[in-house]
Amino acid sequence: MLLAVTLLALIVPWTVVEGRGCWADTNSPGIPCQYGYDYPVGNEQGLEYSVTSLFSYTCCDALSCRANPNKCEFVHVGCGQSINAVPLKSKALHWELPGVEPIMRCFDQGSNKGAYYSYTVKLVPID
C-alpha cells in the first residue's frame, strides 16, 4: 500500500503539466517562448498566464498588448516554483490587439542550470 501511494506521489505531478513547454535559461530575462497560435481578443477581457515550473524557482515576464497605443510589451508576472504541480497565475494582462501570439520568457533563478516550464493562457475579466 505504501509503495502504491509513493508511486502516485511521484507520477501524478508529471501527468498534470500541460500547455506550451519551454526552457528557462539561467540569464535574465529569458528566452521568448511563443504559445503556438494567435489568441483571440476579448471585449474588456485580459489574458491570464498560468506557469508550471516543478523543479526550479523561475522568474517570468509575459506579453501584454494594448490598442492605445498600438503596442505590446513584456510585463513582469512574478517569480516562484509550482508546489504539487499547482501553476502560478498572473493577473489579467491587457490583450487588445488581434493577430498576436502570447509569449512568455522565464529564467531559472533556483538551480542556475536552466529549467523546463510550461504555460497556458485564458481570457479572463480585466481588473
Side-chain angles (χ1 to χ4, degrees), residues 46-126:
L47 206 59
E48 178 186 83
Y49 290 78
S50 296
V51 185
T52 303
S53 174
L54 296 177
F55 301 110
S56 188
Y57 187 85
T58 56
C59 294
C60 299
D61 299 334
L63 196 65
S64 176
C65 297
R66 289 182 176 260
N68 188 15
N70 190 16
K71 72 174 192 173
C72 296
E73 62 186 350
F74 281 101
V75 175
H76 181 70
V77 294
C79 298
Q81 180 176 353
S82 303
I83 305 299
N84 295 326
V86 175
L88 306 168
K89 294 185 179 186
S90 74
K91 66 177 185 173
L93 302 180
H94 289 276
W95 198 252
E96 302 169 356
L97 297 176
V100 178
E101 191 172 333
I103 302 173
M104 285 206 85
R105 61 184 186 194
C106 298
F107 70 96
D108 171 24
Q109 199 173 21
S111 71
N112 292 320
K113 296 177 184 175
Y116 174 83
Y117 70 96
S118 65
Y119 75 95
T120 59
V121 294
K122 71 176 181 177
L123 284 175
V124 294
I126 195 95

Side-chain angles (χ1 to χ4, degrees), residues 7 44 56 115:
L7 286 175
E44 295 187 26
S56 188

